[in-house]
Amino acid sequence: MSSGQEVGEIFGDGSGPAMSLLRSPTVIIAAVGLWGMNVYLFRLFGIDYVHVLTFDLMKEKEASSRRDGENKEDDNTGIAGTAMTNRNTKSPKRRANSPGDSNNLGNSADNEVTAGKLIVFSLSLLLILHMSTVIWIDFIGGSAIGAIFIFYLAVIVGILLPLPSTAWIRTACKTIFHRTFELINPRCFCCGTGMPRAIPFIDVFFADACCSLSKVFFDWGMLWHLAWHYPEPVPMELHSIIIPSVAASLPYFIRARQCLVMYTIGAMKSDAKKYQHMLNAIKYSTSLWPLVVSAYQKTITNEKEKVALEAFLIILLAINSAYSLAWDITMDWGMMQNTCAGGAIGGETKSHTSCAHSVLRPKLRFGAPTSIGILFIDIVLRYSWVLRFWENDLFPNADIYILCTQFLEAIRRALWNLLRVEWEHIKQNKGKEEEAPADVEMMEQKPFLAPKSRSMSPIDRKPKSLQHKQKS
């Protein structure tokens, strides 16, 4: 969730819109590079982030395969011998044509997303952005909007070229497109019968990342407006902010809908903690109002009304920051839920030599100093919007200030990712980690290189039950 939902200059044909057009690809490039940092740290500290992200999907596939197996057994009760013969006859062909066969798995190393690849890719994007703007604006004499379209076109063509070195980018893009479809895929009871499908962690994680890029979505909506009115400036009217504001609000609506779907599932299962999903949905709603008020503020010419909206906007930002910070610490990271005497693990109270482990949580895979540092930085960056009080002193214009807050939010999200994936990893391995040695604090603070993570591509991920059947 963004630390500040203000928007920059919208109207006119000056440097404001030009800066807005350039800042969205710049922030995306920074986000790609920061995800490379995440991948490196996950591997350094032994966290298989691919397994963590796809754990729910694997469980869903295994449950589906078990149901299919039970249905086949029921259908073949009277002709078991014939069915077994047919399965044994056809199984080699099915394994050879399976999307997860050895040939495809042999290429998984080429499609693996590594920190080095992400860093090089982000630097390449930055170089393409610089070259497209310099060539189009300085040499050809074109506009900023043309330079941005040239940049996006160059990136798309470069990705689509069938080069072996960019195969991993195409695989990653397919995964992103698939998960994007899942974000808008109806799961509520009104679109089907029975229990709605639960939201997997990978979609929750992806939607949260999109929330941090909400102002990028706003800039894309504004790009559409600028292209529509080109070469005339965008008129300073209320309808001109509707499309950008709706685009910026989409990640929050999607994430709130996910919470409501999980609340519905909890109600159908009589889950005592279903209220947490409703509280989470309310949290995301607090991010919508600052964004809308900030965009509406750009259409106001009356100074008194602007001052009143400014005060109202500060109140909304303060509420959103406090709410989101509390949720980060307690729910997303699982911290500060233990007494000073120790944390409760498996129903038993456990004492800790480290006060940080007692106050935060018993297991800190990144170690106490790193976890405390991330917590402190997150607190500071959650309130990065207070820079607006010194905006005129620190920044030459409003759009530079917005660009700065976008960069700070990208950094905050990258740090948030570390503890969020770590906490999900701990929850998924709760039974195993309860059997770990008592002195886990010393083990946690020693980073080591974990085995390489498997590809997130669907063709390389298969339920363990199916893998066992194929081996047998």
Side-chain angles (χ1 to χ4, degrees), residues 118-421:
L118 288 167
I119 296 297
V120 172
F121 182 50
S122 63
L123 293 176
S124 301
L125 291 176
L126 188 62
L127 179 62
I128 295 174
L129 178 62
H130 176 71
M131 291 179 61
S132 61
T133 54
V134 170
I135 294 175
W136 187 262
I137 296 177
D138 295 342
F139 289 92
I140 300 180
S143 62
I145 187 172
I148 295 302
F149 278 115
I150 291 296
F151 165 74
Y152 286 126
L153 179 62
V155 172
I156 293 174
V157 171
I159 292 176
L160 293 179
L161 287 177
L163 300 176
S165 59
T166 58
W168 70 275
I169 303 178
R170 290 189 291 274
T171 302
C173 290
K174 291 178 182 178
T175 303
I176 292 174
F177 289 143
H178 179 66
R179 298 330 308 175
T180 302
F181 171 76
E182 289 297 325
L183 292 184
I184 60 177
N185 183 22
R187 295 171 181 262
C188 54
F189 60 88
C190 60
C191 298
T193 58
M195 183 77 68
R197 291 174 55 210
I199 308 296
F201 174 68
I202 187 173
D203 290 343
V204 173
F205 189 81
F206 185 33
D208 278 331
C210 291
C211 288
S212 287
L213 298 176
S214 64
K215 283 179 281 192
V216 172
F217 289 94
F218 184 94
D219 293 339
W220 283 345
M222 192 184 65
L223 176 63
W224 186 91
H225 259 300
L226 290 171
W228 180 265
H229 292 278
Y230 186 82
E232 300 296 328
V234 178
M236 188 177 293
E237 298 176 1
L238 183 61
H239 71 84
S240 299
I241 67 169
I242 293 179
I243 291 180
S245 298
V246 170
S249 302
L250 280 178
Y252 301 110
F253 279 119
I254 291 173
R255 190 65 188 92
R257 187 183 70 90
Q258 289 179 340
C259 297
L260 294 179
V261 170
M262 295 305 297
Y263 175 82
T264 301
I265 296 175
M268 297 176 70
K269 292 183 176 181
S270 300
D271 185 3
K273 295 183 178 181
K274 63 180 183 295
Y275 69 93
Q276 294 179 354
H277 299 295
M278 185 60 67
L279 293 177
N280 202 12
I282 295 174
K283 181 196 69 172
Y284 287 99
S285 68
T286 63
S287 297
L288 295 173
W289 300 110
L291 191 149
V292 173
V293 171
S294 177
Y296 175 69
Q297 191 180 32
K298 303 298 180 181
T299 67
I300 301 300
T301 57
N302 188 295
E303 290 299 326
K304 284 188 177 181
E305 191 171 355
K306 272 191 175 183
V307 172
L309 284 176
E310 179 72 11
F312 184 52
L313 178 61
I314 291 174
I315 294 174
L316 293 176
L317 290 172
I319 294 173
N320 171 251
S321 298
Y323 199 155
S324 301
L325 177 61
W327 196 272
D328 283 349
I329 298 173
T330 59
M331 303 303 297
D332 290 339
W333 298 341
M335 294 182 173
M336 295 187 179
Q337 298 180 3
N338 308 304
T339 61
C340 292
I345 302 180
E348 297 180 0
T349 302
K350 179 181 177 181
S351 60
H352 302 281
T353 56
S354 171
C355 183
H357 286 81
S358 300
V359 175
L360 299 182
R361 55 174 145 81
K363 293 182 174 63
L364 299 173
R365 193 66 190 84
F366 293 102
T370 303
S371 300
I372 293 175
I374 294 175
L375 176 62
F376 176 77
I377 296 174
D378 185 76
I379 293 174
V380 174
L381 296 183
R382 273 293 182 189
Y383 290 89
S384 61
W385 55 267
V386 300
L387 291 174
R388 66 188 299 110
F389 297 122
W390 300 277
E391 178 181 333
N392 296 330
D393 299 330
L394 299 176
F395 307 98
N397 54 62
D399 278 284
I400 297 296
Y401 159 68
I402 297 299
L403 178 62
C404 177
T405 58
Q406 284 182 294
F407 275 128
L408 293 177
E409 172 61 18
I411 295 172
R412 189 201 67 81
R413 177 60 62 179
L415 297 175
W416 180 92
N417 290 340
L418 298 175
L419 296 184
R420 182 66 185 94
V421 173

Side-chain angles (χ1 to χ4, degrees), residues 22 32 39 51 117 227-228 232 270 344 375 380 383 430 456:
L22 291 171
V32 172
V39 171
H51 175 75
K117 290 179 179 178
W228 180 265
E232 300 296 328
S270 300
L375 176 62
V380 174
Y383 290 89
K430 183 177 180 181
M456 287 182 61

